[in-house]
Amino acid sequence: MKPTLYLPLLAFVAMLTFSCSSEKLDEQQLDPTAINVPATKTIEVEILELINAHRLNLGLTALNNLSIIKSVAYTHTDYMVSVNQVNHDNFYQRKESLVNNASATKVSENVAYSYTSAESVVKAWLNSPGHKAVIEGDFTDFDISAEKNLEGKWYFTNIFIKR
């Protein structure tokens, strides 16, 4: 076989053999024991306190913070910052991670972008019927990750579970 025909074929075979799957990479990122989560930020504590205050005002139980939830939320917040887009991409993987590692029987999340304070993001979630239903839902635990992008805008992932 001529080298001019052989090289493109070899390159194609190599590309198929050595290509990465983003799905596999996401699964590795969701190993909660392997995630280096940044220290808790003041805005994260404030959001959790505001949500629990809202729940208590309605006669609902306060939710417990769970560090494994924070680690899974962080993977998604970091992902949203990297793609510069607020989304629920790969939610099923986060859910499965929490089912397998935190004994979750129910998982939901709220995400947000660009709010500048705990009060503003919680107010926005409470003004949205879908987000409000999650905050007021039948859950036992929650946690949040808030990260800034290079322009200084916040991204938020707030995950709720029932055990």
Side-chain angles (χ1 to χ4, degrees):
M1 187 179 262
K2 289 184 175 183
T4 55
L5 293 175
Y6 180 72
L7 288 176
L9 179 61
L10 182 62
F12 179 71
V13 170
M15 186 173 61
L16 290 176
T17 304
F18 300 113
S19 68
C20 296
S21 166
S22 63
E23 200 169 291
K24 184 66 174 171
L25 180 62
D26 289 339
E27 288 173 16
Q28 291 170 350
Q29 290 175 346
L30 287 180
D31 176 2
T33 62
I35 299 167
N36 186 14
V37 179
T40 301
K41 297 168 189 67
T42 302
I43 194 168
E44 294 169 333
V45 172
E46 292 170 349
I47 290 168
L48 297 175
E49 288 174 350
L50 288 168
I51 289 172
N52 267 339
H54 176 78
R55 289 178 59 87
L56 290 170
N57 282 339
L58 297 176
L60 302 171
T61 60
L63 302 175
N64 301 304
N65 298 50
L66 197 58
S67 61
I68 195 167
I69 298 173
K70 183 171 182 64
S71 64
V72 172
Y74 173 72
T75 64
H76 185 60
T77 305
D78 190 48
Y79 168 77
M80 290 191 302
V81 168
S82 73
V83 298
N84 199 33
Q85 180 184 42
V86 66
N87 59 60
H88 292 282
D89 292 356
N90 306 310
F91 174 73
Y92 180 76
Q93 290 174 334
R94 289 188 295 289
K95 178 183 175 185
E96 285 302 305
S97 179
L98 291 166
V99 166
N100 294 330
N101 296 295
S103 302
T105 59
K106 181 179 174 183
V107 180
S108 196
E109 74 180 11
N110 287 339
V111 296
Y113 162 75
S114 199
Y115 292 95
T116 58
S117 69
E119 294 82 10
S120 63
V121 71
V122 172
K123 182 178 179 181
W125 283 332
L126 291 174
N127 286 329
S128 162
H131 294 98
K132 183 178 181 180
V134 171
I135 289 172
E136 297 174 358
D138 182 24
F139 297 103
T140 56
D141 307 274
F142 72 155
D143 219 316
I144 190 162
S145 170
E147 298 296 326
K148 285 185 178 180
N149 68 7
L150 293 175
E151 292 81 38
K153 294 188 179 187
W154 287 103
Y155 283 81
F156 305 90
T157 304
N158 191 194
I159 298 179
F160 300 75
I161 72 167
K162 180 177 182 174
R163 292 191 286 168

